[in-house]
Amino acid sequence: MHVLGFSIAFSLCFGCGLFFPLRKTDADRGKSHLKDAISCATCEVLVSYIQSELANNATLDSVKPIAVQFCDYALTKEGINAPYVCPGIIDLYGPAVQYVATRVVLNPAELCVDFKLCTSNQTARATRTRHLAPRELPAAPLPHATHNEGTRGHKADGRSTLTILQLTDIHIDPDYSEGSAGHYGDYNCDLPTTTLELLADTIKALDPQPDVIVYTGDNPPHDIWNETYNSQLGATQFLVDYLAQKLNRTIYPAMGNHESFPESQYYGQLPLYKEVTQQLAQYWQKWVNFTDISMETAKRSACYSVVIPNTNLKLVSFNANYGYVLIWCPSPTMGMVSFNANYGYVVNFYSYLNDVNVDYSLLLDWLELEVDIAEKAGQKVLIIAHVPPGDTSTQSSYGEFYLNLTKRYTSTIVGHLTGHTHNDEFELAQDEYGVYGVVMVAPSVTPYTNNNPAFRIYTMDLIKDTLLGYDQYFLNLTKANEMAALKQVPSFELSYTTALEFEKYEDLISTYNYNKHSKSNEAYKNCDITCQRNILCAVQNIISSKILECEAVLVSYIQSELASNATLDSVKPAAIQFCDYALTKEGIYAPYVCPGIIDLYGPAVQYVATQVVLNPAELCVDFKLCTSNQTAHATRTRHLAPRELPAAPLPHATHNEGTRGHKADGGSTLTILQLTDIHIDPDYSEGSAGHYGDYNCDLPITTLELLADTIKALDPQPDVIVYTGDNPPHDIWNETYNSQLGATQFLVDYLAQKLNRTIYPAMGNHESFPQSQYYGQLPLYKEVTQQLAHYWQKWVNFTDISMETAKRSACYSVVIPNTNLKLVSFNANYGYVANFYSYLNDVNVDYFLLLDWLELEVDSAEKAGQKVLIIAHVPPGDTSTHSSYGEFYLNLTKRYGSTIVGHLTGHTHNDEFQLAQDKYGVYGVVMVAPSVTPYINNNPAFRIYTMDLIKDTLLGYDQYFLNLTKANEMAALKQVPSFELSYTTALEFEKYEDLISTYNYNKHSKSNEAYKNCDITCQRNILCAVQNIISSKLLECEAV
């Protein structure tokens, strides 16, 4: 199996450093992210401050104290306590930061994500595309213009194959001291000269010798706080001299990010970097017999191209430091292109000048031109570079440019050889239309961090211009050091051959992960779901921002299997594994839960998977299994085509606006009591929990009785009572059809008897069976809906039409007696992502009829001069809803803003609200009431709104709560507690300085004083939730 075939098979078979590297470097991609180390907001504030000071001509000395403090904090959070490091780092990189800060305005959010100081603000990465304007590539030649395709012949010795040995990331450490470390190295140190000598001897002894040797860069060690100009260039000089003497071979190099000074910094227009580049080219002459033109290019840009002697292959070496990328290009006259990828690397501060950087544009033009010339000459191209374009430390624009280049010249570019990550990996240059190439990422020679020293040898077919595969070699460092202690000489061993290694697909990812770290630790064979997902995501993307949009491995697999008519039993093991992982991520270890859940929800998933093709990325975000894939949410809009709403009436068509009068008793106000999310638990056992409940349990009957008595004793009585749903408890793995409907029957009977009042209900997601599943066209859900309507008759005196609507859809409308107010109860389950059937919405006639009905009810109310109060369970702006539901709701509210006077919801269990707004204005407020159940960490609560019938306005509400801790204490003393007034909106939010903290405390029904402390992240989340009723917008939240 050749490389491309293997790579695609790998991807399809499952379907789916720290900025300053202190012994945690770019080698540790994915391991060294400062997850939650610094809140995004804090990072952004500090970056803004430092940038502002430097832009205003502050000296480096004046900002150094805060910069050092910030650096120390970042390292400490990563578990590194090294106070001597940061002052040197700030001195070293300060001039580069200052230079850039005085020339361009940078996005602090982008910088915090780029340097792994923040992982939650994923939208920042998207701004990287500004670094590179779209580039027009020449049109592909017509088929007849292809030169000698597939018939380019043999080498001078008659062989039709070419062998290419790749070395990368040597990171020689001349100061390595054996001490307690091993003779041949240590997994936490860079390469000693003893291992370099062993490597050189191994290569020299190869028989047959490789035809070509390439080296994809990184010479100096990682102790960057100690580096100097002489030490950086001295490492390259030493390495070139040593290998030139030992091997006496042509070696084609690419510039690594560590070759510059300071490491990773590169800007070809500044004198310092001109000098660095010229020195590198001068050293390289000992390895490569440059033509005058190639030498001039190398001296100017650390890039060059050469045609491999006796072949049709052009090698292009690219300096990726502006974007961190590497390319190799073979063609019908094979040549090599070495590319300096440093402008694509985010740790190169000068890469943030890319949008105004003529040097970078010329570099890209040169690369395009080299490949285009090769195509016209009938050559093939092999690109070598240090940084792969899909690494998370690269600018996304670099990956986008590279993908476009590869797509345009896919028949010309035959290979892309890179390094940098220190791991054995590859990346697919692909988009939704196909795969255009494979970027090979070779493992490092240095063992730092946790890798065995390695090199590889590719075999290329000169007839078909194809990399057939490679042999991967490694030095078992543990074994080598043991042999050294016995005065024995170890050897590099064959690790694997691609043609043989990946035949067993069932072990594919585990084998890949073990090899990724050059077999340094058996533990790498255990690749869990997170590991699998990260590997597949990295493999499938060469645009760095896309890596943050990772699809979970098993979603595609499960969907594909079910769509192919596999039985539920056949996918159940994978589904349970996935479910267990999801629960574990939430801190829940309950192995008894998932088997029941899979049995319960499997049929719904299977039904949907056989009807529509779902986007795995969308599903992972919808179900909170992935938060980084922001673009996935946008795809939800496919669930609902834009709907045309009728035009608003002309002003004279408004009926009795503001003059609708009073109730029958003469009062001009209406009081509306709202209950939501009771979640009655008939099996609640007091035990060690409290008499009136527990913050981790659903509602006991004792508290329901106290609630009913409280409502019954209210004076005056509320004019209207609404209940926005959710009756059964949360132990969904134990639920049955009878238990689900039985909870509703019990609650309706109980409150009907206790209160003897009209109560207007809305259907919650828990009322169905299985909970959250609803599809009105299936017999099961028709039966569920009819049963609910039957129960509700004990609460509501339905008209025949309303009853028929309720039986068909769990929706209805009524006019509140003695008022001009129409109450519309809407079944929001089709907007809820946990309803698997909601993924049929784009072909679901039932859903369209439901939306048409809601529009019609509001429109008819407008025409009749009525006002509308909408009640529903799930608020449209909750992150568990489809964006299309929020978009529809916003459009409805915008069109009928003068008709709809209130939106009452529940579901989140919290005391919240959401603004129905866009950039042009606010059209309504969706009220989200707190739950009656204390689950999780809330005090039981209800509220009473007051509505002005003259002005058709909700004036505010009184929020009541039961202090559960106090209630249980009183119960122990045989005393009866009472619900207390928590706050009144007209009074609660007068003090703006305490606004958000007060809101957060109330949000949890005052269950814990700690909720008064609302930090910046908490504030941002609240403001974001308040300001959006489209769920995808919540994930694009701007820092406060």
Side-chain angles (χ1 to χ4, degrees):
M1 181 184 297
H2 61 70
V3 172
L4 178 59
F6 149 66
S7 306
I8 296 173
F10 183 104
S11 177
L12 297 183
C13 116
F14 283 85
C16 37
L18 176 59
F19 156 43
F20 299 124
L22 176 67
R23 299 303 179 218
K24 273 185 182 275
T25 66
D26 38 50
D28 248 348
R29 180 177 71 188
K31 288 190 289 185
S32 62
H33 290 189
L34 289 175
K35 291 184 178 177
D36 300 323
I38 302 171
S39 77
C40 287
T42 303
C43 178
E44 290 159 21
V45 168
L46 288 170
V47 169
S48 295
Y49 168 75
I50 293 171
Q51 181 180 198
S52 174
E53 288 294 294
L54 291 176
N56 291 322
N57 298 317
T59 64
L60 285 175
D61 287 343
S62 67
V63 298
K64 184 175 178 179
I66 191 169
V68 170
Q69 183 182 10
F70 188 44
C71 171
D72 281 338
Y73 176 63
L75 292 182
T76 302
K77 294 294 281 186
E78 188 66 359
I80 300 169
N81 183 17
Y84 58 87
V85 170
C86 286
I89 284 178
I90 302 304
D91 287 341
L92 203 57
Y93 292 89
V97 174
Q98 185 175 38
Y99 184 94
V100 174
T102 57
R103 283 162 174 78
V104 291
V105 177
L106 300 173
N107 178 348
E110 176 182 6
L111 289 173
C112 291
V113 175
D114 280 347
F115 293 105
K116 313 296 189 295
L117 297 171
C118 167
T119 59
S120 62
N121 188 349
Q122 303 308 336
T123 55
R125 285 194 89 104
T127 63
R128 288 191 188 157
T129 54
R130 69 175 178 80
H131 292 319
L132 183 60
R135 305 178 69 80
E136 287 295 324
L137 297 175
L142 296 175
H144 67 266
T146 302
H147 298 261
N148 305 316
E149 189 64 40
T151 60
R152 280 179 293 285
H154 305 74
K155 294 187 299 180
D157 62 5
R159 287 192 292 127
S160 61
T161 58
L162 187 80
T163 54
I164 304 164
L165 185 147
Q166 181 184 5
L167 301 171
T168 194
D169 295 86
I170 290 177
H171 291 287
I172 189 69
D173 186 356
D175 298 324
Y176 178 88
S177 175
E178 193 166 330
S180 60
H183 181 71
Y184 286 102
D186 184 281
Y187 288 119
N188 291 308
C189 297
D190 277 314
L191 196 78
T193 52
T194 50
T195 315
L196 179 63
E197 182 179 14
L198 180 64
L199 172 68
D201 290 341
T202 300
I203 294 172
K204 195 169 183 179
L206 289 171
D207 186 19
Q209 280 283 287
D211 300 305
V212 178
I213 301 177
V214 300
Y215 173 54
T216 45
D218 265 14
N219 309 323
H222 285 90
D223 52 349
I224 63 174
W225 55 95
N226 286 329
E227 71 184 37
T228 64
Y229 178 88
N230 290 333
S231 70
Q232 291 296 96
L233 291 175
T236 298
Q237 185 176 19
F238 168 81
L239 194 62
V240 168
D241 288 345
Y242 186 88
L243 291 181
Q245 179 184 356
K246 288 283 287 187
L247 299 182
N248 193 26
R249 286 286 308 267
T250 296
I251 301 174
Y252 298 103
M255 181 181 180
N257 60 295
H258 278 264
E259 271 80 284
S260 191
F261 174 78
E263 70 90 20
S264 297
Q265 305 311 295
Y266 188 85
Y267 187 35
Q269 296 187 45
L270 295 180
L272 171 62
Y273 300 104
K274 289 180 179 178
E275 185 177 337
V276 167
T277 310
Q278 289 171 1
Q279 283 287 355
L280 286 178
Q282 182 181 334
Y283 298 146
W284 289 350
Q285 285 186 103
K286 295 186 179 181
W287 279 356
V288 185
N289 185 20
F290 289 119
T291 64
D292 291 343
I293 294 176
S294 291
M295 183 58 183
E296 187 58 34
T297 307
K299 287 167 62 177
R300 192 178 68 243
S301 62
C303 298
Y304 61 89
S305 69
V306 296
V307 175
I308 303 299
N310 303 315
T311 74
N312 238 1
L313 180 64
K314 182 180 190 177
L315 183 145
V316 180
S317 179
F318 182 62
N319 172 3
N321 281 301
Y322 281 126
Y324 238 36
V325 84
L326 175 62
I327 317 172
W328 241 35
C329 312
S331 65
T333 323
M334 286 209 176
M336 176 188 275
V337 179
S338 176
F339 184 57
N340 173 1
N342 284 299
Y343 282 125
Y345 190 36
V346 299
V347 181
N348 176 14
F349 293 113
Y350 297 105
S351 70
Y352 290 90
L353 298 172
N354 282 354
D355 51 350
V356 294
N357 185 350
V358 175
D359 196 45
Y360 186 38
S361 295
L362 290 174
L363 213 58
L364 298 181
D365 289 340
W366 172 83
L367 179 57
E368 292 168 13
L369 183 62
E370 286 292 333
V371 180
D372 195 61
I373 289 172
E375 179 182 70
K376 289 181 170 63
Q379 295 173 324
K380 296 300 178 182
V381 173
L382 179 65
I383 299 176
I384 65 171
H386 179 64
V387 185
D391 187 71
T392 53
S393 61
T394 62
Q395 306 285 0
S396 289
S397 58
Y398 172 48
E400 290 161 358
F401 161 77
Y402 204 83
L403 175 60
N404 290 333
L405 182 80
T406 307
K407 187 174 181 179
R408 164 60 185 83
Y409 294 100
T410 187
S411 62
T412 299
I413 302 173
V414 297
H416 315 257
L417 308 188
T418 69
H420 179 63
T421 72
H422 293 206
N423 292 329
D424 183 344
E425 304 174 275
F426 67 87
E427 301 165 356
L428 296 180
Q430 68 172 356
D431 59 17
E432 64 269 33
Y433 302 108
V435 178
Y436 311 108
V438 183
V439 177
M440 306 307 301
V441 185
S444 61
V445 175
T446 182
Y448 177 76
T449 303
N450 296 326
N451 288 312
N452 281 316
F455 69 89
R456 69 169 47 157
I457 301 176
Y458 300 89
T459 299
M460 181 173 176
D461 187 322
L462 291 175
I463 303 292
K464 297 180 179 178
D465 298 320
T466 303
L467 287 178
L468 300 175
Y470 57 84
D471 295 333
Q472 184 63 56
Y473 293 87
F474 78 111
L475 177 69
N476 185 321
L477 199 56
T478 304
K479 180 180 173 182
N481 287 329
E482 290 171 352
M483 292 179 69
L486 300 173
K487 308 300 183 184
Q488 298 172 357
V489 179
S491 60
F492 280 77
E493 309 167 45
L494 178 64
S495 175
Y496 66 90
T497 296
T498 49
L500 302 175
E501 181 75 349
F502 300 106
E503 290 301 307
K504 294 186 296 182
Y505 286 136
E506 64 271 20
D507 298 328
L508 187 60
I509 296 188
S510 295
T511 301
Y512 181 91
N513 194 53
Y514 186 41
N515 290 334
K516 175 179 175 180
H517 299 276
S518 300
K519 299 185 175 176
S520 61
N521 193 317
E522 292 281 324
Y524 289 122
K525 288 182 178 178
N526 302 317
C527 190
D528 64 13
I529 292 180
T530 304
C531 163
Q532 294 172 27
R533 179 176 57 195
N534 291 343
I535 285 174
L536 286 186
C537 183
V539 162
Q540 296 182 79
N541 292 288
I542 68 165
I543 299 174
S544 59
S545 60
K546 299 293 185 184
I547 295 176
L548 300 175
E549 301 165 7
C550 184
E551 300 175 4
V553 174
L554 292 180
V555 172
S556 289
Y557 166 72
I558 293 169
Q559 181 184 193
S560 173
E561 289 293 293
L562 291 176
S564 300
N565 298 318
T567 64
L568 285 175
D569 286 341
S570 68
V571 300
K572 187 174 180 179
I576 289 175
Q577 184 185 11
F578 190 47
C579 170
D580 283 336
Y581 166 71
L583 291 181
T584 303
K585 287 267 289 184
E586 291 295 308
I588 301 169
Y589 179 70
Y592 57 87
V593 170
C594 286
I597 285 179
I598 301 305
D599 287 340
L600 204 57
Y601 294 90
V605 174
Q606 185 175 37
Y607 183 93
V608 173
T610 58
Q611 307 295 316
V612 292
V613 178
L614 301 173
N615 177 349
E618 176 182 6
L619 290 173
C620 292
V621 176
D622 282 346
F623 291 100
K624 311 297 187 295
L625 299 173
C626 168
T627 60
S628 61
N629 186 348
Q630 306 308 335
T631 59
H633 260 77
T635 64
R636 290 187 185 158
T637 55
R638 69 173 179 80
H639 293 317
L640 183 60
R643 304 176 68 81
E644 287 294 323
L645 296 175
L650 296 174
H652 67 267
T654 302
H655 297 262
N656 306 317
E657 187 64 39
T659 60
R660 278 180 292 287
H662 304 73
K663 295 185 298 180
D665 64 2
S668 61
T669 59
L670 188 79
T671 53
I672 304 166
L673 184 146
Q674 181 184 3
L675 301 171
T676 194
D677 295 87
I678 290 178
H679 290 287
I680 188 69
D681 185 356
D683 298 323
Y684 179 88
S685 174
E686 192 166 331
S688 61
H691 182 70
Y692 287 102
D694 184 280
Y695 288 118
N696 290 308
C697 297
D698 276 315
L699 196 78
I701 294 174
T702 50
T703 314
L704 179 64
E705 183 179 16
L706 180 64
L707 172 69
D709 291 341
T710 299
I711 294 172
K712 196 170 183 178
L714 288 171
D715 186 23
Q717 279 283 288
D719 299 305
V720 178
I721 300 178
V722 300
Y723 173 54
T724 47
D726 265 14
N727 308 324
H730 285 90
D731 52 350
I732 62 174
W733 54 94
N734 286 329
E735 72 184 37
T736 65
Y737 178 88
N738 290 334
S739 70
Q740 289 298 96
L741 291 175
T744 297
Q745 184 177 19
F746 169 81
L747 194 63
V748 168
D749 288 346
Y750 186 89
L751 292 181
Q753 180 185 358
K754 289 284 286 186
L755 299 182
N756 193 26
R757 288 286 308 267
T758 296
I759 301 174
Y760 299 104
M763 181 181 180
N765 60 293
H766 277 264
E767 271 78 286
S768 192
F769 174 78
Q771 70 88 21
S772 298
Q773 306 311 295
Y774 187 84
Y775 186 34
Q777 297 187 46
L778 294 180
L780 170 63
Y781 300 102
K782 287 181 181 179
E783 185 177 337
V784 167
T785 310
Q786 289 171 0
Q787 283 288 355
L788 286 178
H790 174 70
Y791 297 146
W792 288 350
Q793 285 185 102
K794 294 187 178 181
W795 281 356
V796 185
N797 184 22
F798 288 119
T799 64
D800 290 344
I801 294 177
S802 292
M803 183 58 183
E804 187 58 35
T805 307
K807 287 168 62 178
R808 193 179 66 243
S809 62
C811 298
Y812 61 89
S813 71
V814 297
V815 175
I816 304 297
N818 303 317
T819 74
N820 224 13
L821 181 65
K822 184 179 192 178
L823 182 145
V824 179
S825 178
F826 182 64
N827 173 3
N829 281 298
Y830 283 127
Y832 189 38
V833 299
N835 176 15
F836 295 114
Y837 296 106
S838 70
Y839 291 90
L840 299 173
N841 282 353
D842 51 352
V843 294
N844 185 351
V845 175
D846 197 46
Y847 186 38
F848 291 134
L849 291 174
L850 213 59
L851 298 180
D852 288 339
W853 172 83
L854 180 57
E855 292 169 14
L856 183 62
E857 287 294 329
V858 179
D859 193 63
S860 63
E862 180 183 72
K863 289 181 170 62
Q866 296 172 322
K867 298 299 177 182
V868 172
L869 177 69
I870 298 177
I871 65 172
H873 179 66
V874 184
D878 188 69
T879 54
S880 62
T881 62
H882 291 292
S883 289
S884 58
Y885 171 46
E887 289 163 356
F888 162 76
Y889 207 86
L890 174 59
N891 290 334
L892 183 79
T893 307
K894 186 174 182 179
R895 163 59 185 84
Y896 293 101
S898 62
T899 299
I900 302 173
V901 296
H903 314 257
L904 308 189
T905 68
H907 179 63
T908 72
H909 293 206
N910 292 329
D911 183 345
E912 304 174 276
F913 66 88
Q914 301 164 355
L915 298 179
Q917 66 172 358
D918 59 17
K919 60 185 176 182
Y920 302 108
V922 177
Y923 311 107
V925 181
V926 177
M927 306 306 301
V928 185
S931 61
V932 175
T933 182
Y935 179 78
I936 298 174
N937 296 326
N938 289 313
N939 282 315
F942 69 88
R943 69 170 46 158
I944 302 176
Y945 300 90
T946 300
M947 180 175 173
D948 187 322
L949 291 176
I950 303 292
K951 297 180 179 179
D952 297 318
T953 303
L954 286 179
L955 299 176
Y957 58 83
D958 295 334
Q959 183 63 56
Y960 294 86
F961 79 109
L962 177 69
N963 185 321
L964 198 57
T965 304
K966 180 180 174 182
N968 287 328
E969 291 171 352
M970 293 179 68
L973 300 174
K974 308 300 183 184
Q975 299 173 358
V976 179
S978 60
F979 281 77
E980 310 168 43
L981 179 64
S982 175
Y983 65 90
T984 297
T985 50
L987 303 174
E988 183 75 350
F989 300 108
E990 290 298 307
K991 296 186 293 181
Y992 287 125
E993 63 272 18
D994 299 328
L995 186 61
I996 296 187
S997 296
T998 302
Y999 181 92
N1000 194 54
Y1001 185 42
N1002 290 334
K1003 176 179 174 179
H1004 298 275
S1005 299
K1006 298 184 175 177
S1007 62
N1008 193 318
E1009 292 281 325
Y1011 289 122
K1012 288 182 178 178
N1013 301 318
C1014 190
D1015 62 13
I1016 293 179
T1017 302
C1018 164
Q1019 293 172 29
R1020 180 176 56 196
N1021 291 343
I1022 285 174
L1023 288 184
C1024 183
V1026 162
Q1027 296 181 77
N1028 291 287
I1029 68 165
I1030 299 174
S1031 60
S1032 61
K1033 300 294 184 184
L1034 301 186
L1035 299 176
E1036 300 165 7
C1037 184
E1038 298 177 5
V1040 175

